[in-house]
Amino acid sequence: MALSWIDHHGTRILLNDFRHLAEPEALAQLDEEVHLLESEPGKVRMLVDVTGAPILLGFVARARALAPRIEVRLEKQAVLGITGVKSVLLAGFNLVSKGVPLRPFPSEAAAKDYLAR
């Protein structure tokens, strides 16, 4: 499942798995994320995994456009798979973001522990 709910130490976390998705699938999943977040009654903790995902400029542009709708729905967010050029894109994304920054982690366990605190 690309979008799924997981539990970590009693904390409900939305897992948004973009691993290895091509642009059409990634864009569709981003839209699905927005609809899911907007249907939740409260703020959400989210883990995003972009491990092995290509850098898709159309996806980055769409994510920036949707950011105002997403950011207000998040309490915390963590991201996996940030290496190389992706770290530069993440830094830029976080710089212009007005909401909760995407915090990179080297492991899923560390990201989940952060989100559960």
Side-chain angles (χ1 to χ4, degrees):
M1 280 180 105
L3 279 169
S4 60
W5 290 103
I6 58 174
D7 181 89
H8 186 69
H9 299 303
T11 300
R12 186 173 180 239
I13 297 169
L14 177 61
L15 174 59
N16 196 350
D17 187 355
F18 287 102
R19 290 178 295 175
H20 310 291
L21 292 183
E23 190 163 48
E25 292 84 10
L27 290 170
Q29 186 166 308
L30 187 59
D31 289 337
E32 185 180 346
E33 171 192 325
V34 171
H35 292 297
L36 190 146
L37 290 173
E38 290 179 339
S39 71
E40 285 296 305
K43 294 200 176 213
V44 172
R45 294 171 188 232
M46 184 165 64
L47 175 57
V48 179
D49 193 345
V50 295
T51 303
I55 297 169
L56 306 166
L57 297 181
F59 177 84
V60 173
R62 181 82 173 130
R64 285 182 128 171
L66 291 172
R69 291 173 62 188
I70 294 170
E71 292 168 346
V72 297
R73 302 290 185 171
L74 297 174
E75 183 176 341
K76 277 182 163 180
Q77 58 180 338
V79 63
L80 300 171
I82 299 297
T83 59
V85 175
K86 288 180 188 174
S87 62
V88 175
L89 287 172
L90 178 63
F93 190 83
N94 282 337
L95 186 64
V96 298
S97 174
K98 292 181 172 60
V100 178
L102 264 167
R103 187 165 169 191
F105 286 89
S107 72
E108 186 173 335
K112 286 178 178 178
D113 287 344
Y114 163 74
L115 291 168
R117 286 193 297 249

